[in-house]
Amino acid sequence: MRKKKRTTRSGFGNAIAAIFLLLMGVFIALPIYYSIINAFKPTSELFLFPPRFVVYEPTFQNFLNVVRVQSQSLVPVERYLFNSVFITIVGTAGYVLIASMAAYPMAKRNFPGKKVIYYIVVFAILFRPEVTSLPQYMMMSKFNMLDTYWALIFPLLATSFGVFLMMQFMSTVPDEILEAARIDGAGEKYTFFHIVLPTVKPALLTLTIFNFVSAWSTAGSQFTYSETMKLLPTMLSQISTGSIMRAGVTAAGTVLLMLPSIIVFAVCQGSVIETMTHSGIKS
Amino acid sequence: METVKKLFKKYGNDYFFLSFWLIIFTVFTLVPIGFAVGYSFTNFDMVQTPSFVGLSNYLRMFLDDDIFIKAFMNTMLFAVITGPLGYIMSFVVGWLINDLNRMTRTVLTFLFYSPTLLGSSYMMWLYLFSNDSYGLLNSWLINFGFIKDPVQWLTDPDFNIYVVIVVVLWGSMGAGFLSFVAGFQSLNKSYFEAGAIDGIRNRWQELWYITLPQMGPQLLIGAVLTISGSFAIGSQCIALTGFPSTDYSTHTLLLHIQDYSANRLEMGYASAIAVVLFVIMILSWLIINKAIKTFSHD
């Protein structure tokens, strides 16, 4: 006798679900697809009326032009690239380290003040960097940090969502492992670096991705103003406002800019989902 | 003295681990927010020593600043529409793709999350909603004979706020969506079998009686992330409709804060607006938190 496993959806329900997913998928994918093919269109095709969804003579010229347009600017393109890469690496590596260190006692130890800090961490998820940028601006100006790399990096470190994710994930590490280490005479620092960190690899990857994406797409930071401190997305929007003939260059630049985030996420998606399994707020 | 030493020995390591992040977070997030609250009662302008002006910044907002009222209404409109809709979209898509096979689910999760990965590039939407007849939407509508002249999607105050709403919804399946996807996958399978035996007849009943009560924690984190996004709309408006938009038609509280701080250096007034935004966000979280908890406990 077969056990009844689960109710099934009606054929009609399946059809509705499929149509809904299809429509949603088109809504999400269409703009992305269109901007990718635009990057491969020669100028003659970019301004066809009506606009086309296919490229007849794909070209890499737009990508080459990104470099050419930039070689005419006062600040070399390498500078924007360096700025973006630098703050992304330092901001991400720094955050993953300090967030997992902070999450460890929050998840696995008991100490006075833990509950208060937990509530602060959860509450602070509400406040995105955009929302706290005015208070942060005033603080940076007090410390004379405006227009320095510090002003780009610290806001990336001073967020709480990563700490929250790491804390939730670490709470699933079995106490027995930590207890065993303690009995073997391992200190807290050894336990953390050699036992806890290797077991929370999916969460480390997830934090890396989330921070990478937000650092990489940091656009017009309000904390820097000189040309030499600007980042890649800012450079791109400066190209696009240059002239209408730059449409192809802009499209190519957009594609180049989104590639790293997409690749990093696609490779590590499994770890992200595993981490998010524990992301709920338990009441 | 002896107890301090004892406490240190007992908890010193815990505080040491916590300290790096906590200090940076305190200095660059908590204390600045405290400062903003303090400055909101002054006429601080970054140059002169601020002097206390009582509640006048708050009175000015509601009595003497039409643009603030506009920004306030727009912010509420954005939040009330994009918040719940984005939340439901994330939930329903997560629910539907959970029944698909592993490969399809992985690809679709990636697809629906991808707008978040693209960050601040709204270039593609500018092609779609472009004001001239080269804009995709305009060219379709002209071809099918709905309109004769191109619609000024991005500059006409009757339309541009809806354009922003569409684009915000497009990007609303972020970390909350991933949390839902993961939550659906980790549901306890035996509950569904038990439910089928106990007379659950269709997927709606299953969703209502078995799935939702188990999803409480994910629903909560999804709500926090949704609130944090739907009140922080601003950069999308600038990218699509320019700054300031026609008649401030897509102006939001966030942009009003930026305008008064970065352009006019009226930090006291800008801080007061920021405090209003913080209070609204906290209140909405408290209300929604309460609602979800009551709902998922019965």
Side-chain angles (χ1 to χ4, degrees):
Chain A
M1 196 180 83
R2 262 185 67 208
K3 197 166 78 175
K4 190 178 179 188
K5 269 256 151 81
R6 197 179 161 185
T7 52
T8 44
R9 218 194 305 267
S10 64
F12 180 69
N14 270 331
I16 296 284
I19 291 170
F20 177 78
L21 278 182
L22 187 73
L23 287 178
M24 285 296 295
V26 170
F27 171 56
I28 300 290
L30 195 70
I32 301 173
Y33 167 77
Y34 191 63
S35 66
I36 291 175
I37 60 155
N38 264 3
F40 293 98
K41 282 182 183 170
T43 315
S44 56
E45 284 185 47
L46 270 173
F47 294 100
L48 277 182
F49 181 85
R52 304 283 152 84
F53 272 96
V54 283
V55 198
Y56 298 106
E57 289 167 32
T59 167
F60 279 98
Q61 196 54 44
N62 292 327
F63 292 92
L64 300 175
N65 285 350
V66 172
V67 181
R68 213 185 41 123
V69 166
Q70 268 315 296
S71 65
Q72 299 159 0
S73 80
L74 287 173
V75 179
V77 63
E78 293 84 1
R79 179 70 194 215
Y80 302 102
L81 184 67
F82 171 79
N83 289 347
S84 271
V85 170
F86 180 71
I87 69 141
T88 302
I89 291 178
V90 176
T92 304
Y95 187 66
V96 172
L97 181 67
I98 62 169
S100 39
M101 283 182 78
Y104 174 54
M106 292 296 293
K108 282 289 155 198
R109 310 273 301 167
N110 272 312
F111 55 90
K114 181 172 150 176
K115 213 164 176 167
V116 178
I117 296 173
Y118 175 82
Y119 282 115
I120 292 176
V121 166
V122 173
F123 246 95
I125 300 172
L126 274 182
F127 300 121
R128 295 197 177 189
E130 299 98 296
V131 176
T132 50
S133 78
L134 165 67
Q136 282 179 340
Y137 181 91
M138 297 192 286
M139 200 64 172
M140 305 259 179
S141 122
K142 264 203 168 63
F143 289 156
N144 281 324
M145 275 185 187
L146 289 176
D147 212 29
T148 66
Y149 285 113
W150 298 117
L152 294 170
I153 292 169
F154 274 122
L156 293 168
L157 305 181
T159 58
S160 76
F161 186 51
V163 175
F164 175 78
L165 279 184
M166 189 52 90
M167 185 167 88
Q168 301 300 77
F169 197 85
M170 274 185 187
S171 62
T172 65
V173 175
D175 286 326
E176 292 78 44
I177 303 183
L178 305 180
E179 203 50 49
R182 213 160 287 142
I183 290 166
D184 289 346
E188 284 299 328
K189 289 183 191 74
Y190 185 91
T191 312
F192 174 74
F193 283 106
H194 291 88
I195 294 163
V196 177
L197 279 192
T199 41
V200 297
K201 251 187 209 144
L204 290 174
L205 268 177
T206 305
L207 253 61
T208 307
I209 292 165
F210 283 170
N211 228 259
F212 176 91
V213 171
S214 63
W216 187 249
S217 64
T218 304
S221 172
Q222 291 160 356
F223 309 138
T224 57
Y225 35 83
S226 48
E227 200 59 39
T228 48
M229 290 302 297
K230 285 184 179 162
L231 305 168
L232 278 181
T234 316
M235 179 197 97
L236 190 64
S237 61
Q238 284 171 350
I239 297 181
S240 68
T241 49
S243 86
I244 184 122
M245 293 315 283
R246 300 241 175 109
V249 180
T250 310
T254 307
V255 169
L256 287 179
L257 199 65
M258 64 187 168
L259 265 181
S261 299
I262 288 196
I263 293 171
V264 170
F265 184 81
V267 171
C268 309
Q269 187 176 337
S271 298
V272 176
I273 296 295
E274 192 182 339
T275 307
M276 296 308 281
T277 306
H278 310 287
S279 66
I281 300 176
K282 294 174 188 81
S283 41
Chain B
M1 204 55 225
E2 203 50 38
T3 46
V4 173
K5 244 186 190 161
K6 236 185 187 163
L7 274 177
F8 187 79
K9 198 167 161 41
K10 197 167 173 199
Y11 303 117
N13 252 317
D14 300 333
Y15 292 124
F16 170 79
F17 272 88
L18 196 56
S19 63
F20 298 92
W21 174 77
L22 195 58
I23 289 170
I24 293 177
F25 174 76
T26 307
V27 173
F28 289 97
T29 299
L30 273 190
V31 173
I33 289 177
F35 271 140
V37 174
Y39 281 136
S40 74
F41 301 103
T42 70
N43 59 0
F44 186 43
D45 61 1
M46 302 286 283
V47 185
Q48 286 159 333
T49 324
S51 54
F52 184 73
V53 295
L55 286 174
S56 72
N57 283 330
Y58 292 93
L59 294 175
R60 178 180 163 195
M61 255 181 253
F62 289 99
L63 301 177
D64 202 23
D65 185 354
D66 293 343
I67 313 293
F68 168 81
I69 301 291
K70 183 128 206 180
F72 184 87
M73 299 310 279
N74 283 344
T75 304
M76 295 314 266
L77 182 77
F78 279 136
V80 166
I81 295 180
T82 66
L85 266 184
Y87 190 69
I88 293 170
M89 255 164 59
S90 299
F91 187 86
V92 171
V93 170
W95 181 52
L96 291 178
I97 66 176
N98 190 45
D99 287 335
L100 305 171
N101 66 48
R102 201 188 141 88
M103 189 62 204
T104 323
R105 194 174 59 214
T106 307
V107 171
L108 287 182
T109 304
F110 178 74
L111 171 71
F112 286 112
Y113 182 71
S114 59
T116 309
L117 293 171
L118 307 185
S120 50
S121 55
Y122 299 105
M123 210 62 69
M124 46 200 84
W125 287 99
L126 294 176
Y127 298 132
L128 191 61
F129 286 112
S130 177
N131 285 340
D132 55 38
S133 48
Y134 291 111
L136 217 48
L137 193 57
N138 273 333
S139 81
W140 281 341
L141 291 175
I142 290 173
N143 268 356
F144 289 111
F146 289 111
I147 52 170
K148 278 211 178 68
D149 300 310
V151 175
Q152 309 292 303
W153 297 110
L154 304 171
T155 44
D156 188 329
D158 287 338
F159 295 111
N160 59 7
I161 194 157
Y162 301 106
V163 171
V164 175
I165 287 175
V166 168
V167 175
V168 169
L169 284 176
W170 173 75
S172 63
M173 287 191 266
F177 167 67
L178 295 181
S179 182
F180 290 153
V181 170
F184 282 118
Q185 281 179 42
S186 62
L187 292 175
N188 193 335
K189 301 276 183 302
S190 60
Y191 286 14
F192 292 100
E193 289 161 24
I197 293 163
D198 286 349
I200 292 280
R201 284 198 313 275
N202 56 40
R203 282 292 159 99
W204 295 110
Q205 288 188 346
E206 189 186 273
L207 176 71
W208 191 254
Y209 293 110
I210 303 177
T211 308
L212 275 177
Q214 286 187 74
M215 289 284 284
Q218 276 84 14
L219 292 176
L220 281 174
I221 188 69
V224 180
L225 292 165
T226 301
I227 294 170
S228 99
S230 50
F231 283 99
I233 293 171
S235 60
Q236 300 95 323
C237 305
I238 297 185
L240 293 164
T241 65
F243 182 81
S245 47
T246 322
D247 299 335
Y248 290 96
S249 46
T250 66
H251 206 53
T252 63
L253 287 181
L254 196 69
L255 296 179
H256 210 46
I257 296 168
Q258 279 174 19
D259 190 19
Y260 272 91
S261 57
N263 301 340
R264 310 179 198 220
L265 292 181
E266 292 186 41
M267 296 300 181
Y269 187 54
S271 298
I273 304 168
V275 169
V276 169
L277 182 61
F278 292 155
V279 170
I280 300 173
M281 290 179 77
I282 291 173
L283 283 179
S284 354
W285 165 234
L286 291 176
I287 294 168
I288 289 165
N289 182 38
K290 184 103 188 140
I292 293 177
K293 277 183 179 165
T294 335
F295 171 78
S296 55
H297 269 291
D298 61 17

